[in-house]
Structure formats: structure tokens, C-alpha cells
């Protein structure tokens, strides 16, 4: 066994805590992004011009100014401007949440728009209140449409977490790079790191496939077990533009 | 709290714009690599033998699912004698080729089966089938998606600063560290990105609508 792997086993507690930081940033960032995506996406479909305008400006702003710069702005610039400092992981969660929330908002908007007009009309004809119309008729159908795009965004978010290394959070990349520096085995170290991210990405994809299956079942759509192992498809990101 | 220093803005703007040229160069060349390599991968993915298609599929899936930053830093550490800009362009190109190949695949699948059959009936060679019939139809459908990937690549070029390519963010970090003016330079760099990418994405959206997507 090479030096790198024996050191990896020896330093397992640190590797595990690095993995934990990466997962934490991914999951918390995704939750924040999800909340923002729904808030901004629903606002984009509102009848109020003000709500639509605010949503548009926020979405374009966070989509237009590179994630990298947003993260650095939060980490380096904000403390100078406001005197208020965030820990690296919180910086990451906020930046990931805002950036991917903006992309997610487009997904939510696109999915809601794709629900057939007749469904709205039927809900109105049945005299459902606006909130029941949204919760019971529109969202369950739009949700199924959103999941594949959300899966793509989630993996993009996971792939953005090594940025935490640049703002000195002890994430998975930081830890593995320290092991590389101590053993000098560059190729082994980076391949291990890539494989680790690949496994995480695939695990997250399968979780999202499970979610998609349960969402489809609620609509009474047929779902086979085969769909659980399918990988993501880049071509489906067309909803709301690619990232 | 030391507020916003407008002098720093004026002073750093020329530096940032100088770096921005490198950012643009990397984006254009990276997109070119991704567009060509992606097509090659998509065509290889349609090979008749599973010994070709399965590895191609696995490799693209792997490249697509792993972070660009790790790929960049790893490549730069392995090939530390090569100019960082070349490494940056190659890694960006290869990373995005994994995405564009899927786009091409969908574009090629979108060409009606009858077109393939007609080519066989006319006994065109495989080369002429691709060149004269399939690709012209597929590429037209694929252009808007390629444009979108170019825009997202543009927004990921700041990663190149990490492997010491002297693009805009590299300059911003340098100036920020020297003058302790991070607020000004990062705000400015963000605005430059916004100004450059927003009109482009508007244009792409128009193009997409025009091509009927």
C-alpha cells in the first residue's frame, strides 16, 4: 500500500471531519438555495409588478456575477465594509445559497409555467382558494418537472464546495491536499479526491431519483426501479437556462 | 469601518481590464476546445461497439461529476512545467466537453431517423452522411445550448486565478492584498462580470426563441 493510503487511514478522523464540512456546506447551501428558489420563482409569477421586478433583479444579479466573486466578496470585502465577519463555512453556505437559489428560481418559474393552463382554469372553476390552488394542484405537478433540474444544480453545488479551500475552511479538498503535501503523491491524492466527489455526486443523484419517484407516484405516474440508477443528463438543464 | 474608496476603483480598473482580456481569451479558446472535443465525444458515443461507447460514457460522467477546481489544481500540480494558461484552457475545455457532448448527443438524436435511412438508400459514405446531412441539422439545434455553456464557462474562469493565470480575479486579489482594498476590487470585478454576461445571456435567449425552443 502506498504512503498516501496508509497516511489516509492514519489520519482518518481529519479526513472524516473534512468530508463533514463539505457535506454540511452542500446540504445547508442547498436548503438555503431551495428556499430562495421557491420564494424568487413564485415572485416571478406574481401579478404585482414590484414582486416580479425584485425577483428579476435579484436573479439576474446573482446569476450574472460569478459565484467565485460572490464568495470572495463575502469573505474579504464584507468584513471591511461592515466590520462583521462570517466563518468560512457560513460564507460558503450563504454564497452557494444565493447563487444557486437564483438559478433555482428560473427552474421553479419554468416548471410552474409548464403546468397546463387548463389546470389553473379547473382549479378556479372548482372555487379553490389561491393557496389551495397552488399547493394542491399547481405545485405537485410543477415539482415533478423541477426535480431533474434541481438534481443538476445540487451536483453543481457539490462541485463548487472545493472553493471553501480558498477561504481556508477545512473541507475535504483541504485535508486531502495536506496529505498530498506530506507524501508527495500528487496523482494518487487528486485521483482519490476526484473519486470521492464522484461517489458523493452519484449518491446525491440517487437520493434525488428517489425523491423524483415519490413525487411521480403522488401524481399516479408509472415509475420503474430502473430510473433510480440513472445518471443526470446535461440536456435536461435547458429549463431556465444552463449553469 | 472604512467605507468605500473611489480612488481604489479608479486605480484598479485598468488592471482589472487588462486581466479581463485574459479572461476573455481563456473563455473563447476554452469554448472552442469544448465545442470540438464535445462533438468528437458525441460521435464516439454512437460507435457500434460497446467497447467504445461504455468507456466514453463513463469518462464523460466522471468528468462531469467532479469539481473543476480539483481538476485544475490537480492538472497544474502534475504538469507544473507547462504554462498555466494552457493548462487552464485545456481543463476548462475538457470539463465543458463532457457537457457539450450530451448536448450534441441530443442534437444528433433529434435528426429524424428518415435522414439516416435516406443516406443509406443513396449509399453515401459515413463521412458524407455526417458532413453533408446529419451535422448541419444537428449543429443548428445545438448552438443555443453551446452559447449557454460558453456563458457559464466565462463565469468559472476566475478558478484560473488559483493556478496563477493572470486573469481578472488574479489581478483583483493582487491589488486587494497590496492596497487592502478588497471591497472595491471585488465589487468592481463582479460588476464587470455582470455587464459582460447579462447582454450575452439576453442575446442567447433571443436566439433560442428564434430557433423555436
Amino acid at each position: 500500500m502506498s504512503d498516501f493510503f496508509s497516511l489516509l487511514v492514519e489520519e482518518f478522523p481529519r479526513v472524516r471531519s473534512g468530508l463533514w464540512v463539505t457535506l454540511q456546506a452542500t446540504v445547508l447551501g442547498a436548503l438555503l438555495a431551495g428556499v430562495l428558489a421557491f420564494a424568487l420563482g413564485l415572485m416571478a409569477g406574481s401579478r404585482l409588478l414590484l414582486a416580479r421586478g425584485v425577483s428579476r433583479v435579484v436573479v439576474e444579479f446573482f446569476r450574472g456575477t460569478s459565484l467565485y466573486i460572490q464568495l470572495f466578496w463575502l469573505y474579504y470585502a464584507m468584513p471591511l465594509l461592515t466590520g462583521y465577519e462570517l466563518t468560512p463555512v457560513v460564507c460558503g453556505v450563504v454564497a452557494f445559497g444565493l447563487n444557486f437559489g437564483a438559478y433555482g428560481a428560473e427552474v421553479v418559474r419554468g416548471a410552474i409555467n409548464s403546468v397546463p393552463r387548463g389546470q389553473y382554469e379547473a382549479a378556479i372553476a372548482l372555487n379553490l382558494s389561491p393557496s389551495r390552488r397552488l399547493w394542491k394542484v399547481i405545485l405537485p405537478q410543477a415539482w415533478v418537472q423541477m426535480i431533474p433540474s434541481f438534481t443538476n444544480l445540487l451536483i453543481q453545488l457539490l462541485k463548487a464546495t472545493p472553493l471553501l479551500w480558498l477561504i481556508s475552511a477545512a473541507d475535504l479538498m483541504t485535508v486531502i491536499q495536506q496529505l498530498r503535501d506530506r507524501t508527495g503523491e500528487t496523482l494518487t491524492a487528486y485521483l482519490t479526491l476526484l473519486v470521492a466527489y464522484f461517489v458523493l455526486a452519484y449518491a446525491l443523484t440517487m437520493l434525488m431519483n428517489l425523491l423524483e419517484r415519490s413525487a411521480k407516484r403522488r401524481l399516479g405516474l408509472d415509475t420503474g426501479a430502473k430510473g433510480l440508477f440513472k445518471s443526470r443528463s446535461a440536456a435536461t438543464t435547458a429549463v431556465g437556462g444552463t449553469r | 469601518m472604512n467605507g468605500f474608496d473611489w480612488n481604489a476603483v479608479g486605480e484598479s480598473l485598468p488592471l482589472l481590464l487588462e486581466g479581463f482580456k485574459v479572461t476573455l481569451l481563456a473563455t473563447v479558446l476554452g469554448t472552442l476546445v469544448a465545442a470540438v472535443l464535445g462533438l468528437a465525444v458525441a460521435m464516439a458515443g454512437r460507435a457500434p461497439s460497446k467497447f467504445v461507447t461504455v468507456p466514453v460514457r463513463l469518462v464523460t460522467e466522471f468528468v462531469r461529476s467532479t469539481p473543476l477546481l480539483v481538476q485544475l489544481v490537480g492538472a497544474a500540480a502534475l504538469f507544473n512545467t507547462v504554462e498555466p494558461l494552457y493548462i487552464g484552457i485545456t481543463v476548462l475545455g475538457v470539463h465543458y466537453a463532457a457537457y457539450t457532448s450530451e448536448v450534441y448527443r441530443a442534437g444528433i438524436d433529434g435528426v429524424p431517423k428518415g435522414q439516416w435511412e435516406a443516406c443509406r438508400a443513396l449509399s453515401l459514405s459515413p463521412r458524407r452522411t455526417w458532413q453533408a446531412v446529419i451535422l448541419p441539422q444537428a449543429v443548428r439545434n445545438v448552438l443555443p445550448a453551446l452559447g449557454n455553456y460558453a456563458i457559464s464557462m466565462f463565469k468559472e474562469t476566475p478558478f484560473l486565478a488559483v493556478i496563477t493565470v493572470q486573469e481578472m480575479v488574479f489581478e483583483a486579489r493582487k491589488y486587494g492584498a497590496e492596497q487592502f482594498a478588497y471591497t472595491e476590487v471585488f465589487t468592481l470585478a463582479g460588476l464587470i462580470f455582470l455587464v459582460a454576461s447579462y447582454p450575452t445571456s439576453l442575446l442567447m435567449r433571443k436566439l433560442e426563441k428564434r430557433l423555436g425552443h
Side-chain angles (χ1 to χ4, degrees):
Chain A
M1 197 156 74
S2 77
D3 290 349
F4 178 79
F5 287 112
S6 44
L7 193 62
L8 187 79
V9 174
E10 216 174 283
E11 294 279 356
F12 187 67
R14 281 181 56 205
V15 176
R16 195 176 47 196
S17 84
L19 183 66
W20 177 237
V21 170
T22 293
L23 278 177
Q24 234 179 353
T26 307
V27 172
L28 295 179
L31 286 179
L32 179 59
V35 171
L36 274 174
F38 274 99
L40 292 170
L42 289 174
M43 272 164 74
S46 155
R47 257 181 304 180
L48 294 170
L49 182 67
L50 185 67
R52 278 207 312 273
V54 168
S55 154
R56 199 72 253 146
V57 169
V58 172
V59 167
E60 290 302 343
F61 181 80
F62 285 105
R63 268 166 28 124
T65 56
S66 182
L67 168 66
Y68 188 102
I69 293 189
Q70 289 155 16
L71 187 67
F72 272 62
W73 200 93
L74 276 178
Y75 187 68
Y76 287 111
M78 204 189 71
L80 292 181
L81 205 61
T82 62
Y84 194 75
E85 214 168 315
L86 297 173
T87 65
V89 178
V90 175
C91 265
V93 168
V94 173
F96 299 152
L98 289 172
N99 189 271
F100 288 93
Y103 282 97
E106 292 287 275
V107 173
V108 172
R109 187 176 63 96
I112 288 178
N113 279 343
S114 76
V115 174
R117 275 306 303 163
Q119 297 285 329
Y120 289 86
E121 285 156 10
I124 292 171
L126 289 171
N127 206 15
L128 297 185
S129 69
S131 71
R132 274 181 73 80
R133 189 167 50 190
L134 191 65
W135 281 108
K136 294 287 176 194
V137 182
I138 308 303
L139 276 184
Q141 297 182 64
W143 178 229
V144 170
Q145 302 267 327
M146 288 176 209
I147 296 174
S149 300
F150 278 160
T151 309
N152 276 322
L153 284 178
L154 180 63
I155 303 306
Q156 299 280 8
L157 202 161
L158 170 71
K159 283 167 53 186
T161 56
L163 280 173
L164 290 172
W165 160 58
L166 297 174
I167 57 170
S168 58
D171 72 324
L172 187 61
M173 181 164 182
T174 314
V175 175
I176 300 279
Q177 277 195 321
Q178 284 164 357
L179 298 186
R180 176 198 79 127
D181 290 342
R182 280 169 61 186
T183 57
E185 289 179 43
T186 305
L187 186 64
T188 327
Y190 284 116
L191 274 181
T192 310
L193 192 54
L194 287 175
V195 170
Y197 280 111
F198 181 68
V199 171
L200 283 179
Y202 203 64
L204 287 177
T205 305
M206 285 204 283
L207 277 179
M208 292 299 280
N209 288 345
L210 269 177
L211 195 66
E212 187 178 355
R213 187 165 77 158
S214 80
K216 276 186 174 163
R217 282 210 170 141
R218 276 176 57 204
L219 293 186
L221 294 171
D222 185 41
T223 46
K226 217 180 149 204
L228 286 182
F229 299 102
K230 74 166 191 252
S231 59
R232 291 159 297 123
S233 153
T236 56
T237 46
V239 182
T242 49
R243 201 213 102 80
Chain B
M1 172 162 169
N2 57 3
F4 201 86
D5 180 8
W6 287 99
N7 277 336
V9 172
E11 212 174 85
S12 60
L13 185 62
L15 289 171
L16 292 189
L17 290 180
E18 198 56 41
F20 190 64
K21 283 184 201 157
V22 181
T23 301
L24 278 184
L25 179 76
T27 309
V28 170
L29 293 181
T31 305
L32 218 61
V33 173
V36 173
L37 190 62
L39 179 60
V41 171
M43 285 169 72
R46 296 182 70 91
S49 162
K50 278 214 158 158
F51 290 104
V52 180
T53 55
V54 172
V56 164
R57 181 108 200 100
L58 262 172
V59 170
T60 40
E61 193 61 39
F62 187 77
V63 172
R64 227 151 58 80
S65 304
T66 53
L68 177 64
L69 188 61
V70 180
Q71 293 168 2
L72 265 177
V73 175
L78 278 179
F79 306 101
N80 51 17
T81 51
V82 183
E83 170 77 34
L85 180 61
Y86 300 152
I87 293 186
I89 290 168
T90 313
V91 174
L92 272 180
V94 169
H95 188 82
Y96 275 88
Y99 286 95
T100 54
S101 69
E102 295 277 320
V103 172
Y104 280 118
R105 196 168 63 115
I108 294 169
D109 285 345
V111 177
K113 243 180 107 71
Q115 298 282 328
W116 292 93
E117 285 157 7
C119 288
R120 287 197 62 178
L122 292 168
S123 77
L124 294 184
S125 68
R127 198 197 153 121
R128 274 191 64 76
T129 305
W130 280 105
Q131 251 179 18
V133 183
I134 307 301
L135 286 184
Q137 299 181 67
V139 167
R140 188 177 161 273
N141 292 331
V142 158
L143 279 179
L146 287 188
N148 283 333
Y149 281 118
I151 296 169
S152 54
M153 188 191 290
F154 171 63
K155 278 177 270 185
E156 281 189 338
T157 47
F159 285 10
L160 300 189
V162 179
I163 60 166
T164 70
V165 175
Q166 308 195 350
E167 46 69 79
M168 184 166 68
V169 172
F170 183 87
E171 299 289 349
R173 278 170 75 181
K174 207 170 87 186
Y175 184 86
E178 279 164 7
Q179 307 291 327
F180 211 57
Y182 284 116
T183 318
E184 292 80 4
V185 285
F186 280 127
T187 308
L188 196 56
L191 288 178
I192 293 177
F193 266 103
L194 189 64
V195 167
S197 73
Y198 186 57
T200 328
S201 49
L202 279 185
L203 209 71
M204 290 318 298
R205 213 172 293 168
K206 254 194 185 147
L207 182 68
E208 253 170 78
K209 274 207 181 115
R210 206 197 224 166
L211 290 175
H213 281 279

